[in-house]
Amino acid sequence: MSLHITSTTEGQLQIHLTTKQQQYAVPDVPYSIRANVGCTELNVLLATLLKDSGKANVERVKFDFLLNGEFIRSSLSQHLKDRDISFEDTLNIEYVERYPAPEPQDCLLHDDWVSAVQAKDGWILTGTYDNTVNLWNTKGKHKLTIPGHVAPVKGVAWISLNAQTGVFASASHDQTVMLWEWNVAANSVECVHVCKGHERGVGCIAVNPSKTQMASGSMDTMLKIWSTELHGADGKGEQPSATKKAKLEQGNVRTPVVTLAGHREFVSGVQWIDDTTVATCSWDHTIKLWDLTLGGIKSEFTGNKSFFDLSYSPLNGMIITASPDKNLRLYDLRTKQGNTVKNTYLGHTQWVQSCRWSTTNEYLFVSGAYDNRVKMWDYRSPRAPIFELIGHEDKVLACDWSNPKYILSGGSDNAVRVFKSKIAVNSETDD
């Protein structure tokens, strides 16, 4: 069988169409098409082939197309020319069902800039420049304003959540990390521990996979690890002097389990790879992997720009980073030789402040930047985002995709924008 989409003026290409989504498979035979066709014409061709294969119920499904693992975003001829691919070769084009667009759902208005946001199940934590932590539900209802910090809150992180109790942490420019316990039924919050040890503002925080420890990065260039245990033993923390200890214990203060020095500037992003490995990025142009068992640096990647944020995906073993040069970069931690930067993503027009992987899809991540934009990317499409999430009227300072159903972003327009993502419909978890 051979199907022709031809014209007398254009060159011809031979293609094979393949897919991993077997419900949309078509006969694996060569098709002859014009070189100047794009996604629209390829979708027409696929619809015809699916109909001919007796799959009429999928006629309305739209597809995106990949060549050598990269999305085709122009005509085939332009795509081939840009990448020096021969027009003579038979091309193996993979097609995948097009992602549904995220839908705007809510705008959660705050009293000041929103610099941190994280969801868990039906709840959203935010941190703001008026020194408070705020608790919302995913329906857009404000539940609590939590005072306690005395400077802007730059990081929030859920530790645990059930029907009775929520436990979470907040990091602030006041040099502390606070550990909070929320009584869900009474809707009341208590600060159980104040984690002290950083000598300058704390800019980021993350909790390990087993929820037993958290890591914080600071303008003092230090990475500190803390116990998340609420009551009882703290674990083996650093031992302060007797006088200092007596002072600390008066205020329910917690000291770090360990402090790790190695960065030369602000530690701007922190993520756990596993329970004994932490990844950090810094304004000093480096990403460092720390081995907590050995208490030192395991490996290091050097970039040519500062890093503002990083996100690690356990689904693909890769790190995405955000930088002031308007780019996002993809690093493969498994690469043993050669360049660890797998791709560079250009689409923002200002500093990129924040980035987060999807927790259920190995290809997707979101980013937020000073151009007021949140963008969704597929890492196979480095030249353009797959969606723009529009709504912020000022700089985007934080983004989150912890709950696969909701993409969240906070900005200096005092707002959190909530977008509903249908990509997660078949996922098994809301964590």
Side-chain angles (χ1 to χ4, degrees), residues 6 86 92 183 210 236 255 342 354 375 382 425:
T6 61
S86 169
N92 286 308
N183 180 320
S210 65
K236 295 177 182 174
T255 54
K342 303 296 287 182
S354 180
K375 295 177 190 281
V425 165

Side-chain angles (χ1 to χ4, degrees), residues 40 45 61 140 177-178 228 235 284 288 313 329:
T40 305
L45 169 59
V61 177
V177 174
M178 289 186 172
T228 59
D284 67 11
K288 297 185 194 296
S313 172
R329 289 178 179 82

Side-chain angles (χ1 to χ4, degrees), residues 124-414:
I124 298 169
L125 276 175
T126 63
T128 63
Y129 265 67
D130 66 2
N131 313 341
T132 64
V133 176
N134 289 268
L135 190 58
W136 304 73
N137 66 20
T138 50
K139 303 276 189 278
K141 183 173 170 52
H142 186 257
K143 297 293 283 187
L144 271 176
T145 298
I146 305 162
H149 286 292
V150 293
V153 178
K154 297 291 286 182
V156 289
W158 285 101
I159 296 163
S160 63
L161 179 62
N162 58 38
Q164 290 77 41
T165 309
V167 180
F168 50 87
S170 56
S172 168
H173 275 178
D174 65 11
Q175 306 181 10
T176 71
V177 174
M178 289 186 172
L179 204 51
W180 305 88
E181 186 172 29
W182 172 40
N183 180 320
V184 178
N187 197 30
S188 62
V189 169
E190 178 194 357
C191 177
V192 183
H193 293 288
V194 180
C195 302
K196 289 191 173 179
H198 282 298
E199 293 176 10
R200 290 185 67 193
V202 187
C204 54
I205 188 163
V207 179
N208 71 351
S210 65
K211 313 301 183 189
T212 55
Q213 291 184 322
M214 55 188 176
S216 59
S218 165
M219 289 186 174
D220 65 8
T221 74
M222 299 298 168
L223 167 67
K224 290 183 186 282
I225 310 297
W226 316 81
S227 168
T228 59
E229 191 172 345
L230 279 189
H231 309 290
D234 254 6
K236 295 177 182 174
E238 294 170 351
Q239 295 306 308
S241 68
T243 322
K244 192 175 179 187
K245 194 170 181 181
K247 272 186 188 173
L248 288 174
E249 283 174 351
Q250 290 168 9
N252 221 10
V253 167
R254 174 162 287 178
T255 54
V257 175
V258 66
T259 296
L260 297 158
H263 282 296
R264 296 185 309 281
E265 291 191 52
F266 175 38
V267 180
S268 50
V270 62
Q271 293 268 284
W272 292 79
I273 307 298
D274 54 44
D275 277 343
T276 59
T277 313
V278 174
T280 55
C281 67
S282 167
W283 287 6
D284 67 11
H285 299 195
T286 67
I287 299 165
K288 297 185 194 296
L289 293 185
W290 305 81
D291 185 325
L292 299 187
T293 312
L294 300 174
I297 297 167
K298 189 174 177 176
S299 57
E300 182 177 306
F301 308 98
T302 304
N304 59 0
K305 296 288 176 191
S306 294
F307 293 110
F308 284 173
D309 196 13
L310 86 168
S311 181
Y312 169 74
S313 172
L315 301 177
N316 58 35
M318 292 191 277
I319 279 175
I320 197 82
T321 63
S323 287
D325 65 354
K326 311 170 194 173
N327 289 329
L328 294 124
R329 289 178 179 82
L330 182 69
Y331 289 82
D332 190 345
L333 304 184
R334 301 160 298 190
T335 303
K336 297 293 181 220
Q337 70 244 354
N339 191 356
T340 51
V341 180
K342 303 296 287 182
N343 258 328
T344 301
Y345 302 84
L346 178 57
H348 286 293
T349 57
Q350 296 288 333
W351 287 8
V352 188
Q353 185 64 34
S354 180
C355 55
R356 285 293 175 267
W357 283 105
S358 162
T359 54
T360 54
N361 185 304
E362 66 176 295
Y363 299 114
L364 301 182
F365 62 93
V366 291
S367 62
Y370 277 24
D371 58 10
N372 310 354
R373 292 287 188 265
V374 175
K375 295 177 190 281
M376 183 192 288
W377 306 81
D378 185 304
Y379 80 64
R380 300 167 294 184
S381 179
R383 298 185 186 214
I386 57 171
F387 293 114
E388 289 210 15
L389 284 59
I390 296 167
H392 281 288
E393 294 169 5
D394 208 336
K395 298 184 292 288
V396 179
L397 305 176
C399 62
D400 177 66
W401 203 355
S402 302
N403 180 335
K405 291 181 180 175
Y406 300 101
I407 297 164
L408 310 172
S409 54
S412 49
D413 56 0
N414 302 359

